[in-house]
Amino acid sequence: MKLPNLANARKRTKNPVEVITDNYKLTNDMKKLGLNRAYYIKTYGCQMNEHDTEKIKAILEDMNFYEVDKMEEADLILLNTCAIRENAHNKVFGMIGRIKHLKESKPHLIAGICGCMAQEEVVVDEILTKYKWLDIVFGTHNIHNLPNILATSLAKKELEIEVLSVEGDVYENIPVKRDNLYKAWINVMYGCDKFCTYCIVPYTRGKQRSRQPEFIVEEVQTLVNEGYQEITLLGQNVNAYGKDLDIDYRMENLLEDVAKTGINRIRFVTSHPWDFTDKMIEVIKNNDNIMPYIHLPIQSGSNKILKLMGRRYTKESYFELYNKIKDAIPNVSITTDIIVGFPGETEEDFNETLDIVNKCQFDSAFTFIFSKRVGTPAAKMTDNVSLETKNKRLQELNKLVNKYSNLANQKYLNKTVPVLLEGFSEKNKKTLFGYTDTMKLVNVEADESNIGKIVDVKITEVKTWSLDGKICE
Ligand code: SAH
Ligand code: SF4
Ligand code: F3S
């Protein structure tokens, strides 16, 4: 039993990061654990979390479990959780209640929690007092050890918790079962050292650890050979890639080397404005296979709030960077994240946020109400904005954001754009859906044989959230 510890999760040292390539090993007994057992896994978090799920699936299948898509049919249920906001927590605890119900009628059912919530001391304390009937809890630093954790829990027939509150290492040997045949996620770095005052990620994911470039490029090359069309380089703060390596190699170098593999589409998330260099902009501009799409979270338009958030830029410097990117990269689409109701946010501060949205006219924005996360500095700030005001501000902001999303989409009418078609549209099984280079969702009347291809599509109708188009013959 290893329990998370907030004080340790907060620590940052200069201890070197180990690159571990050889510790994922399964014994024959572990390979038998999953025989005739079905698993169901639900993912709650960001792309990083989704990609972790792809690793967990591969590990479970190495143990001979097989996947089902109905929780009721599973012998093993895992919830890969997210801790970013309170509502993510609530959803998971609701689900745990449903699982308890299932377990009452199916005593052999194995149930577990993993991901960012498992890294939280308060959550594990709650599990130990209220949900001791769960079988396994493991964190973001010990996915590779899942076979051992499962074997231990099954042998002891009791709750096994293994959550390491450590800065973390880089594991290069974990298998992955990719969900998509055409698009793939690739970790380029783990963890985060930015410690924005509202954010829990630096505590749940450890310190910033960049992967060695050769492992990343090799992974991309393999995907190219397998026929993948698109890769997304993942990190909490990808622009800081390489800063922690002892070689002179940064995000712009990585982007250039990844571009040379010939993969058709390269994306990367998330960019923190602080580390966005001119060289990076140059490289994006000069390589056709690096997509003209950038997610650049601003969080607030008020310098006072940005300072309280610990974001290290001002509204003015953000706008300057924004314009530099827009001027350099033709057709670039820029999206953002915004938090409303941060402690101390006045009407004036909120108006500053509306003002920067009006200036930038983002292609789209993810908007959130500030959520207090235990252990973060912002949780100790006086939250003096009422829930009613937060809701009002969110609605007003969303209205503005949607106006500009619609405006951005209008520019696509009658234009011909490249779309990677991924599959049948959910709403209408006769159309296919896909994304433009600029990350616009497009529904296309096209034959099934186009799935997995990048095709030219003429946009015939524009909506706020999507575009409709016809394939150009
Ligand atoms: N690494 C990314 C953010 C990852 S979290 C970055 O720095 O941009 C995704 C988004 O969730 C953040 O951009 C922020 O807008 C939002 N978020 C994070 N913590 C939050 C909190 N405590 N309350 C509300 N929103 C939060
Ligand atoms: Fe969180 Fe800030 Fe790190 Fe993003 S950069 S993950 S918001 S601490
Ligand atoms: Fe959530 Fe963890 Fe991602 S908190 S947003 S799953 S890094």
Side-chain angles (χ1 to χ4, degrees):
M1 187 92 67
K2 290 186 186 111
L3 302 178
N5 173 288
L6 178 62
N8 287 341
R10 195 177 272 142
K11 261 188 214 149
R12 290 295 185 267
T13 66
K14 294 246 177 297
N15 293 344
V17 170
E18 248 188 278
V19 180
I20 299 168
T21 55
D22 61 354
N23 80 335
Y24 173 70
K25 290 190 187 99
L26 296 181
T27 61
N28 281 335
D29 281 348
M30 286 172 183
K31 286 186 193 154
K32 285 186 202 140
L33 273 185
L35 282 174
N36 302 315
R37 279 180 163 145
Y39 76 91
Y40 169 84
I41 180 162
K42 188 165 170 61
T43 315
Y44 290 83
C46 59
Q47 292 101 325
M48 186 78 73
N49 208 224
E50 296 257 5
H51 190 38
D52 284 347
T53 290
E54 294 185 328
K55 295 176 187 173
I56 293 167
K57 284 184 180 180
I59 296 174
L60 291 174
E61 293 186 19
D62 277 356
M63 297 172 79
N64 281 301
F65 284 91
Y66 66 95
E67 187 176 4
V68 285
D69 56 16
K70 286 202 186 72
M71 187 166 88
E72 292 72 19
E73 291 170 4
D75 305 290
L76 163 66
I77 300 174
L78 278 182
L79 305 182
N80 191 10
T81 62
C82 171
I84 203 88
R85 283 170 292 273
E86 191 61 35
N87 60 358
H89 266 231
N90 298 343
K91 275 191 215 155
V92 168
F93 280 113
M95 194 60 144
I96 294 178
R98 276 180 63 193
I99 297 173
K100 177 153 198 235
H101 222 70
L102 279 176
K103 209 165 153 113
E104 277 159 5
S105 60
K106 204 173 176 183
H108 74 273
L109 178 67
I110 312 164
I113 307 290
C114 57
C116 285
M117 271 174 73
Q119 291 291 144
E120 286 185 277
E121 201 180 304
V122 280
V123 168
V124 173
D125 282 349
E126 191 167 348
I127 289 174
L128 280 168
T129 50
K130 291 199 207 145
Y131 307 97
K132 258 205 129 150
W133 52 267
L134 281 167
D135 299 282
I136 56 171
V137 176
F138 62 100
T140 57
H141 296 290
N142 21 21
I143 291 173
H144 61 280
N145 206 27
L146 173 58
N148 246 319
I149 299 166
L150 260 174
T152 310
S153 163
L154 287 171
K156 289 196 309 190
K157 295 196 169 48
E158 60 179 49
L159 172 62
E160 172 62 8
I161 302 182
E162 191 184 299
V163 180
L164 306 177
S165 291
V166 290
E167 293 180 303
D169 290 311
V170 171
Y171 291 90
E172 284 299 346
N173 58 339
I174 309 179
V176 53
K177 184 194 173 200
R178 298 192 188 273
D179 275 340
N180 193 303
L181 291 170
Y182 321 109
K183 301 201 304 189
W185 283 310
I186 298 190
N187 293 114
V188 299
M189 62 196 298
Y190 304 96
C192 180
D193 291 341
K194 286 279 187 284
F195 286 98
C196 303
T197 58
Y198 50 83
C199 183
I200 195 142
V201 173
Y203 312 87
T204 65
R205 294 266 168 186
K207 83 168 167 188
Q208 176 178 318
R209 290 106 66 207
S210 298
R211 284 177 76 195
Q212 301 286 336
E214 52 275 22
F215 285 105
I216 300 169
V217 174
E218 190 186 311
E219 191 174 343
V220 180
Q221 197 59 63
T222 308
L223 291 165
V224 174
N225 298 344
E226 287 171 2
Y228 275 82
Q229 300 278 3
E230 177 176 311
I231 51 140
T232 302
L233 306 176
L234 285 183
Q236 289 306 334
N237 179 11
V238 282
N239 301 22
Y241 172 80
K243 283 176 127 183
D244 55 309
L245 295 173
D246 52 13
I247 48 174
D248 185 17
Y249 191 92
R250 295 287 193 273
M251 188 58 179
E252 54 261 23
N253 307 105
L254 181 69
L255 281 172
E256 250 177 342
D257 283 343
V258 167
K260 279 186 207 142
T261 63
I263 186 91
N264 280 327
R265 286 182 158 196
I266 301 161
R267 301 188 190 279
F268 51 92
V269 279
T270 298
S271 291
H272 188 296
W274 176 256
D275 296 301
F276 219 118
T277 62
D278 289 354
K279 278 192 192 154
M280 250 185 87
I281 299 175
E282 271 296 302
V283 171
I284 301 167
K285 178 182 158 184
N286 293 338
N287 285 278
D288 289 344
N289 55 351
I290 305 178
M291 295 298 99
Y293 164 72
I294 288 159
H295 186 58
L296 194 67
I298 184 165
Q299 313 299 1
S300 169
S302 150
N303 287 341
K304 179 189 99 191
I305 297 296
L306 285 171
K307 199 157 183 210
L308 284 172
M309 288 175 161
R311 287 293 285 183
R312 310 173 194 210
Y313 53 81
T314 59
K315 176 187 185 183
E316 293 74 24
S317 66
Y318 180 96
F319 193 50
E320 197 183 316
L321 172 66
Y322 183 93
N323 284 329
K324 209 191 287 179
I325 298 171
K326 279 263 172 191
D327 290 345
I329 307 165
N331 298 329
V332 71
S333 120
I334 304 182
T335 58
T336 200
D337 291 346
I338 301 169
I339 297 175
V340 299
F342 189 82
E345 186 188 70
T346 60
E347 211 53 38
E348 214 176 350
D349 295 318
F350 176 63
N351 285 336
E352 293 271 333
T353 297
L354 297 179
D355 179 58
I356 193 73
V357 170
N358 278 319
K359 285 198 166 100
C360 291
Q361 311 198 354
F362 295 106
D363 279 75
S364 111
F366 296 101
T367 54
F368 311 101
I369 286 181
F370 166 72
S371 174
K372 204 182 243 199
R373 312 313 299 131
V374 175
T376 62
K380 294 201 189 85
M381 298 178 190
T382 313
D383 187 359
N384 53 355
V385 189
S386 72
L387 186 62
E388 195 192 343
T389 305
K390 287 174 182 163
N391 277 318
K392 213 179 91 231
R393 288 183 188 163
L394 184 70
Q395 274 179 24
E396 193 176 343
L397 176 64
N398 283 345
K399 230 167 106 188
L400 194 64
V401 161
N402 294 347
K403 177 180 125 184
Y404 289 119
S405 293
N406 193 292
L407 209 67
N409 279 357
Q410 292 299 340
K411 295 186 188 132
Y412 285 73
L413 191 61
N414 297 323
K415 291 248 167 71
T416 298
V417 285
V419 179
L420 168 55
L421 292 171
E422 289 181 35
F424 291 103
S425 156
E426 266 195 17
K427 283 193 202 133
N428 178 352
K429 290 282 171 210
K430 282 190 196 127
T431 55
L432 303 181
F433 80 96
Y435 290 87
T436 62
D437 50 352
T438 52
M439 204 66 170
K440 305 277 178 200
L441 172 63
V442 189
N443 289 304
V444 186
E445 289 170 32
D447 183 78
E448 187 179 344
S449 62
N450 288 294
I451 294 177
K453 293 185 185 151
I454 298 169
V455 294
D456 282 336
V457 172
K458 178 155 187 204
I459 302 303
T460 51
E461 201 180 329
V462 171
K463 301 167 179 164
T464 304
W465 314 115
S466 65
L467 307 168
D468 286 348
K470 282 202 173 82
I471 204 161
C472 302
E473 298 301 338

